[in-house]
């Protein structure tokens, strides 16, 4: 297994946040953020975005749909957050590091910000098939 000296990008622009990472780079940075969050007792939120097929599961995203989703995600994440492929070609994602562990569930607040940002970029048919999941991840192993 070889590593590139710089993170690999997928080629999609992600709004203000820059470019979207490919799956390998995204998962690498996700693991680092989980480890750092565990050490500092913060939480990491993972936002997963896909389009439903007509009969269950996730549809393969066209380049236009992926670019629209990454643009929507990029428009609503902060500089410390990042976007990329969770599952290349099927599931776009964003990682949002929380300053401290919130007592409640911030998912509904994030959904209220993220869903409209992505829907604005999609066609009406794609917006109907949009699926967004927000998952709070455990920080990882603690020493």
């Amino acid at each position: 297994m070889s590593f590139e000296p710089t993170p690999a990008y997928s080629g999609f622009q992600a709004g203000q946040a820059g470019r979207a990472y490919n799956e390998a780079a995204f998962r690498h940075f996700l693991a680092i953020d989980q480890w750092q969050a565990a050490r500092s007792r913060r939480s990491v939120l993972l936002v997963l975005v896909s389009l439903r097929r007509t009969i269950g599961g996730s549809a393969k995203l066209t380049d236009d749909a992926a670019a629209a989703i990454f643009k929507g995600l990029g428009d609503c994440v902060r500089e410390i957050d990042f976007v990329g492929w969770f599952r290349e070609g099927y599931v776009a994602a964003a990682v949002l590091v929380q300053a401290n562990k919130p007592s409640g569930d911030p998912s509904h607040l994030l959904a209220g910000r993220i869903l409209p940002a992505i829907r604005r970029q999609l066609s009406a048919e794609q917006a109907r098939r949009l699926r967004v999941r927000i998952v709070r991840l455990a920080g990882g192993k603690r020493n």
Side-chain angles (χ1 to χ4, degrees):
M1 176 186 219
S2 64
F3 291 96
E4 296 180 30
T6 55
Y9 292 104
S10 69
F12 290 106
Q13 293 295 325
Q16 297 173 359
R19 302 186 126 230
Y21 290 109
N22 69 18
E23 184 175 347
F26 182 85
R27 288 180 182 260
H28 173 76
F29 290 126
L30 173 60
I32 290 170
D33 274 3
Q34 281 186 272
W35 180 79
Q36 289 174 335
R39 290 184 51 91
S40 61
R41 296 186 181 357
R42 292 179 288 136
S43 61
V44 175
L45 298 176
L46 177 63
V47 179
L48 302 168
V49 183
S50 61
L51 296 180
R52 289 183 188 94
R53 286 190 306 215
T54 52
I55 305 174
S58 296
K60 182 160 176 60
L61 298 175
T62 64
D63 285 349
D64 289 342
I69 288 170
F70 283 127
K71 170 83 171 90
L73 282 173
D75 286 348
C76 60
V77 297
R78 306 160 299 178
E79 283 184 20
I80 63 169
D81 303 326
F82 60 93
V83 299
W85 287 110
F86 186 77
R87 185 170 162 230
E88 198 88 29
Y90 291 87
V91 182
V95 170
L96 296 91
V97 177
Q98 303 302 290
N100 50 33
K101 281 193 173 179
S103 56
D105 183 12
S107 296
H108 67 283
L109 295 173
L110 285 172
R113 186 176 85 205
I114 292 171
L115 282 169
I118 296 172
R119 282 190 176 126
R120 277 193 297 272
Q121 305 300 323
L122 296 171
S123 69
E125 188 271 329
Q126 290 169 329
R128 280 191 300 276
R129 295 175 31 222
L130 182 64
R131 178 169 53 188
V132 175
R133 288 186 53 218
I134 301 172
V135 181
R136 181 180 297 171
L137 300 175
K141 290 184 179 179
R142 293 198 174 136
N143 296 333

